[in-house]
Amino acid sequence: MKKYLFILGTAISLLVVSCRKEYKEIGEVPSKIDGITANWVLSSCKVVDKASVVEEVMDITSFLNQSGKLPNVSFEIKSGIGTYTCDTSNVAYSFFGGTSGTWTFDNAEFPKSILIQPQGSTKAIVYPLAATIRPTDTYLQIEKSIFCNGTEKAVYRLSFIRN
């Protein structure tokens, strides 16, 4: 009986060892700079009220689309410098502080935020990223906080679609 238990135990051990999952190479880490370099059109804009006891969310996409055109932005690399342009003609509100400027990530390999500096401005606008952006991603989600007396009062949650 002990002989059969030993053989059975050995067979089960060999079976477990031989059934190891094979891991495939996932390849090189995609460039976040290549991921954001594209034309983006706003698909939704929500405002989160941070001042109330219970956070309330309001979708204001239709307000921004009153002219039949949603805000858009293009991120490019020119001579090693990140530049952006946005078409804000007939748009109710521009989130980018101007129609053009420069941009950079806070960390090119693992970005948490994109820093946008409108042309003629000395101060950058910081937009936290909801997720890192890869060349295969079709959505870009950023946030813009509104502060009053050092307290965050509202957050704009912007979702863009790659065009």
Side-chain angles (χ1 to χ4, degrees):
M1 180 75 172
K2 290 182 182 180
K3 183 177 177 182
Y4 293 115
L5 287 176
F6 176 74
I7 292 172
L8 182 63
T10 305
I12 290 174
S13 298
L14 289 173
L15 183 63
V16 169
V17 171
S18 66
C19 291
R20 287 188 185 170
K21 186 175 183 175
E22 292 184 31
Y23 294 100
K24 296 180 181 177
E25 283 291 320
I26 59 172
E28 195 173 312
V29 177
S31 168
K32 309 312 185 262
I33 293 172
D34 290 343
I36 200 166
T37 304
N39 298 319
W40 300 92
V41 177
L42 187 73
S43 63
S44 78
C45 179
K46 296 180 179 173
V47 180
V48 180
D49 183 2
K50 295 284 194 172
S52 67
V53 176
V54 176
E55 287 186 6
E56 296 179 14
V57 180
M58 182 171 61
D59 190 336
I60 63 167
T61 309
S62 59
F63 170 74
L64 295 173
N65 194 19
Q66 288 178 354
S67 66
K69 178 180 164 188
L70 285 168
N72 64 68
V73 62
S74 295
F75 294 103
E76 299 175 320
I77 300 291
K78 293 181 179 175
S79 302
I81 297 173
T83 62
Y84 79 92
T85 56
C86 55
D87 184 2
T88 57
S89 58
N90 298 323
V91 173
Y93 184 76
S94 172
F95 292 97
F96 298 101
T99 58
S100 64
T102 59
W103 67 271
T104 187
F105 285 129
D106 58 341
N107 179 333
E109 290 183 30
F110 306 104
K112 292 182 183 176
S113 300
I114 182 169
L115 290 78
I116 293 178
Q117 187 160 351
Q119 190 171 11
S121 175
T122 57
K123 187 176 179 184
I125 304 168
V126 178
Y127 291 97
L129 295 166
T132 57
I133 188 76
R134 301 166 298 187
T136 57
D137 292 337
T138 56
Y139 291 97
L140 169 65
Q141 296 178 329
I142 59 175
E143 294 184 346
K144 181 179 182 183
S145 295
I146 306 299
F147 290 89
C148 182
N149 297 327
T151 305
E152 186 179 44
K153 297 294 182 180
V155 174
Y156 288 100
R157 291 192 177 143
L158 307 166
S159 295
F160 293 85
I161 295 177
R162 189 182 300 267
N163 193 5

